[in-house]
Amino acid sequence: MSDKSNNYAEYSQFHFYIADYCVFVAMLLLSTGTGIYFGYIRKNVKPVKPTINLETNKHKEPDFGSKAMNEYLLGSRRLKVFPVAMSLIASYISGVTMLGVPSEIYNYGTQYWLIMVSIVLMAVVVSKVYLPVFTTLNVGSSYEYLELRFSSSVRSIASFMFVMDEIFFLPIILYVPAIAFNQVTGVNIYVISGVICVVCVIYTLIGGIKAVVHTDAWQTLVMFIALVVVVILGTIAAGGPGPVFKHASEGGRIIFFNITPSLYERQSFWAVLIGGFFYWTAFNSVNQTMVQRYMSLPSLKKGQQSIIIFTLGVVLFLSVCCFAGLLVFDFYRNCDPLNAGLISNDDQLLPIYVMQTVGHLQGIPGLFIAGVFGAALSSLSVVLNATALVFLQDIVRGSFKVKLSEKATNILVKSVIVLLGAVAMSLIFVLEKLSGILSVATSVTAIAGGTTCGIFTLGMLVPWSNTKGALAGAAAGAVMSGWISFGSQAAIGAGHIGPHKLNVSVSECLVNYTIPVLDYSGESEVFPLYRLSFHWITVIGVLSTLLVGTVTSFLTGPTVVKKMDVELLSPVIHRFLPKECFQPRSASPDFSRDSTAQTSIHLLANNREQTNDRDRY
């Protein structure tokens, strides 16, 4: 193992070469160029009318104040399946994933790999339960549904939660690639974070949703190629996948069936399977960053196709990330870089591995960093674009009922994008004291994700729920998930709870290090909810919202199911609804719907009587 010891010693000799900087700069220039292309060149090309009948003909088109803004924020619902699917992948696969997942596997074993099952289940639920409702109603923002189903107050609460959630998540997106770049170049974290932010804001401002989607598509390809190249070279250096799995097994990292019933276990079979399903479903079913992509496609069928491609892509990408974690363990199994002082943060594990294994190959480190940056840029642009849409459509136009001119709308949307970039930069300072980015990001997003998913689920699957129930459920879900999430992070920050990592070794480090022995005996005195695995936060948020919302609806006078507008309910429960729901009737004063909606219901009702098959709705 002397060669590997030499690698540890020679790490300081590895730096970015000219080829690495060229690859990295090319990625930044291509991102900016994409925004310019769709903002100025492609913008002036007259769009070709589609030859298919869009499902949007059933209802009025989403209205963002002007045709130009409709094009800017939603692409006039004429985008293609593949680039949208790639953008969906980019919405989730950020630098948090690329650096956080390998770190998770290295420190806690392969149990997290089981998340693939949860993702597949999520895809089925999203495409069959939630997506049909959004496409039938043809909403521009997912939160418009809440006003149609409940009231404007419920819509306002959900949209405000979304905006706050994204504001908290933005600095995490910026901070992760900055860590990686700092690790391999020494460039100041704040400088490189500023570069990421400025580039992303520029092409998002100029090109709108089309620039975001198409930039996401090739950035997703770059980050996948970068990770695959690193994994292939690392596997060859390790002697093949056989020795990698053998050493991982000897090191106690191969864990797939940790079926302990303890909710405190970070990565158990039940936590990953159940908690992972709730988290992925909450994020992909109703979050505006995802729904905006679904609604940029012309039909439900194409939206479902994009989810299939998205699922396959994410499963493949995360599997590569998990295997990368095993490669990192294989390389450092006898000299843990954190205890050896080579790194200061778990999320620097993959960058230092890249530099110590392929750092001598000019261009490869640059490709890897370009992949991490591509992941960050794609996620950041998605958040900026979606948050600007929600701020315009749900807060300014929905909550405050302000009608803006076309010019004012354009200024507002682009000002929000710039402001969000500035806020993200200012919040980076908060992250310096946080470690374990994957769990932090999951905990923060779980608050809004679990609560809003619970509200939407209440509306789509519980016909008798009402506005008071939705408001009470939202309060309960936010309080419970926020209490647990921030309470646990505070306990970790105070040192009352520590990460129960698997054993590591420093036996072959150049200098003799002593691994500190951690004492977890005092954790039993910490409030039980603060010790829960981060996987359960979303579960608690969704279930609290549903339970309190359902009970409150019953106590305050449940909605009369027979008078419900069937299009506001998910098709999976149509078979359980009374036949009166499907009878043609005049528009209900409780919903601001146009007459074409009633015509659609009438046609559906007649068709149902002939076939006696409610499932088709």
Side-chain angles (χ1 to χ4, degrees):
M1 301 300 292
S2 59
D3 290 341
K4 189 173 290 187
S5 297
N6 289 335
N7 281 337
Y8 300 146
E10 296 169 0
Y11 169 64
S12 60
Q13 301 177 16
F14 295 143
H15 298 287
F16 257 30
Y17 295 97
I18 294 178
D20 298 307
Y21 283 107
C22 289
V23 172
F24 175 71
V25 172
M27 185 272 300
L28 295 180
L29 292 176
L30 187 56
S31 297
T32 307
T34 303
I36 295 173
Y37 175 74
F38 284 100
Y40 293 109
I41 302 174
R42 187 64 180 271
K43 179 180 180 180
N44 298 322
V45 177
K46 186 176 181 180
V48 179
K49 293 183 178 180
T51 57
I52 59 174
N53 292 322
L54 299 179
E55 289 187 3
T56 56
N57 289 336
K58 292 182 180 180
H59 302 288
K60 61 184 180 181
E61 293 284 346
D63 176 23
F64 298 110
S66 68
K67 290 183 179 180
M69 194 52 60
N70 291 353
E71 177 76 8
Y72 183 83
L73 292 175
L74 213 58
S76 299
R77 292 206 65 181
R78 302 182 194 281
L79 299 186
K80 303 298 182 181
V81 171
F82 185 75
V84 170
M86 292 298 100
S87 182
L88 290 173
I89 295 174
S91 297
Y92 181 82
I93 303 296
S94 65
V96 174
T97 307
M98 287 188 68
L99 302 187
V101 171
S103 171
E104 199 74 15
I105 299 297
Y106 176 90
N107 287 311
Y108 303 100
T110 58
Q111 186 67 71
Y112 183 76
W113 212 327
L114 190 66
I115 199 72
M116 309 308 161
V117 178
S118 302
I119 294 172
V120 173
L121 295 176
M122 169 278 300
V124 175
V125 171
V126 171
S127 62
K128 297 298 182 182
V129 177
Y130 298 93
L131 184 58
V133 178
F134 292 129
T135 54
T136 299
L137 297 174
N138 192 24
V139 295
S141 162
S142 60
Y143 306 111
E144 289 180 33
Y145 166 82
L146 297 178
E147 181 169 357
L148 297 174
R149 178 64 176 87
F150 297 117
S151 67
S152 59
S153 58
V154 178
R155 174 185 180 180
S156 298
I157 290 174
S159 57
F160 271 109
M161 289 184 65
F162 169 80
V163 172
M164 295 306 299
D165 172 45
E166 299 307 321
I167 288 176
F168 281 123
F169 193 63
L170 277 173
I172 298 177
I173 298 175
L174 285 174
Y175 186 65
V176 170
I179 290 177
F181 197 81
N182 172 264
Q183 187 71 23
V184 299
T185 66
V187 176
N188 185 275
I189 289 177
Y190 306 110
V191 172
I192 197 60
S193 296
V195 171
I196 304 173
C197 194
V198 169
V199 170
C200 190
V201 167
I202 287 175
Y203 78 74
T204 305
L205 273 177
I206 296 174
I209 183 67
K210 286 188 175 180
V212 170
V213 167
H214 288 86
T215 306
D216 286 351
W218 70 258
Q219 285 172 345
T220 301
L221 185 62
V222 169
M223 64 186 180
F224 183 75
I225 292 175
L227 190 61
V228 168
V229 168
V230 168
V231 166
I232 290 176
L233 294 176
T235 303
I236 294 174
V244 174
F245 281 101
K246 178 177 179 293
H247 295 150
S249 178
E250 293 172 351
R253 261 55 182 182
I254 305 299
I255 308 170
F256 286 108
F257 297 101
N258 177 13
I259 57 174
T260 174
S262 173
L263 300 181
Y264 305 140
E265 189 80 20
R266 181 185 180 92
Q267 304 287 3
S268 71
F269 179 89
W270 309 112
V272 175
L273 193 63
I274 300 174
F277 169 75
F278 272 79
Y279 174 77
W280 275 81
T281 301
F283 183 82
N284 293 289
S285 59
V286 302
N287 189 286
Q288 178 59 26
T289 57
M290 305 301 283
V291 175
Q292 187 172 352
R293 272 81 195 146
Y294 303 146
M295 297 307 297
S296 67
L297 293 165
S299 68
L300 170 61
K301 182 178 179 180
K302 291 188 179 297
Q304 292 172 331
Q305 290 173 351
S306 71
I307 292 177
I308 293 174
I309 298 174
F310 160 70
T311 302
L312 295 175
V314 167
V315 167
L316 179 60
F317 194 94
L318 286 181
S319 294
V320 176
C321 287
C322 290
F323 184 72
L326 294 182
L327 285 175
V328 174
F329 175 77
D330 179 76
F331 189 80
Y332 293 113
R333 65 185 184 277
N334 294 316
C335 184
D336 176 63
L338 186 63
N339 283 287
L342 296 176
I343 59 176
S344 58
N345 191 295
D346 282 333
D347 302 296
Q348 295 174 318
L349 277 168
L350 189 58
I352 190 178
Y353 169 79
V354 170
M355 294 305 294
Q356 292 192 329
T357 54
V358 297
H360 60 288
L361 301 175
Q362 295 189 28
I364 300 301
L367 179 63
F368 170 74
I369 296 300
V372 175
F373 267 74
L377 286 169
S378 58
S379 298
L380 185 61
S381 62
V382 164
V383 171
L384 292 176
N385 191 265
T387 307
L389 184 152
V390 170
F391 191 85
L392 168 68
Q393 193 72 353
D394 296 300
I395 297 178
V396 176
R397 293 166 61 98
S399 300
F400 296 106
K401 309 300 181 184
V402 177
K403 300 298 181 182
L404 301 174
S405 65
E406 180 176 345
K407 182 178 180 180
T409 299
N410 185 57
I411 293 175
L412 174 67
V413 168
K414 296 186 177 182
S415 297
V416 169
I417 292 174
V418 174
L419 181 61
L420 287 171
V423 170
M425 276 297 302
S426 65
L427 290 178
I428 285 187
F429 297 94
V430 180
L431 294 180
E432 286 187 302
K433 297 182 179 180
L434 298 179
S435 178
I437 287 177
L438 184 66
S439 60
V440 174
T442 303
S443 298
V444 172
T445 57
I447 300 172
T451 303
T452 53
C453 182
I455 299 173
F456 278 92
T457 305
L458 186 72
M460 294 182 184
L461 297 182
V462 184
W464 55 86
S465 60
N466 59 24
T467 299
K468 293 180 180 179
L471 292 173
V479 168
M480 287 299 299
S481 56
W483 178 23
I484 296 171
S485 180
F486 289 114
S488 61
Q489 291 299 325
I492 293 173
H496 299 152
I497 302 175
H500 292 227
K501 297 180 181 179
L502 299 177
N503 293 331
V504 293
S505 172
V506 291
S507 61
E508 294 186 358
C509 294
L510 295 179
V511 180
N512 291 327
Y513 296 96
T514 301
I515 299 177
V517 178
L518 302 178
D519 182 14
Y520 299 117
S521 59
E523 290 188 359
S524 58
E525 300 177 1
V526 177
F527 187 67
L529 289 179
Y530 298 163
R531 297 171 355 193
L532 292 177
S533 167
F534 66 89
H535 285 295
W536 295 111
I537 298 177
T538 306
V539 180
I540 292 173
V542 172
L543 296 183
S544 297
T545 303
L546 284 174
L547 178 61
V548 173
T550 301
V551 172
T552 303
S553 296
F554 269 117
L555 296 177
T556 58
T559 299
V560 179
V561 179
K562 293 181 180 181
K563 296 182 180 181
M564 278 291 300
D565 184 346
V566 70
E567 291 184 343
L568 295 171
L569 303 174
S570 176
V572 298
I573 67 166
H574 283 185
R575 68 177 67 186
F576 305 110
L577 300 176
K579 62 182 181 180
E580 288 83 357
C581 290
F582 300 89
Q583 297 297 326
R585 59 190 183 276
S586 59
S588 169
D590 295 332
F591 304 104
S592 56
R593 309 291 302 285
D594 55 51
S595 60
T596 57
Q598 300 303 326
T599 302
S600 177
I601 295 176
H602 179 71
L603 293 174
L604 291 173
N606 289 342
N607 195 25
R608 175 181 173 279
E609 291 175 0
Q610 294 174 8
T611 61
N612 193 27
D613 182 11
R614 295 178 182 170
D615 288 346
R616 68 190 304 171
Y617 312 129

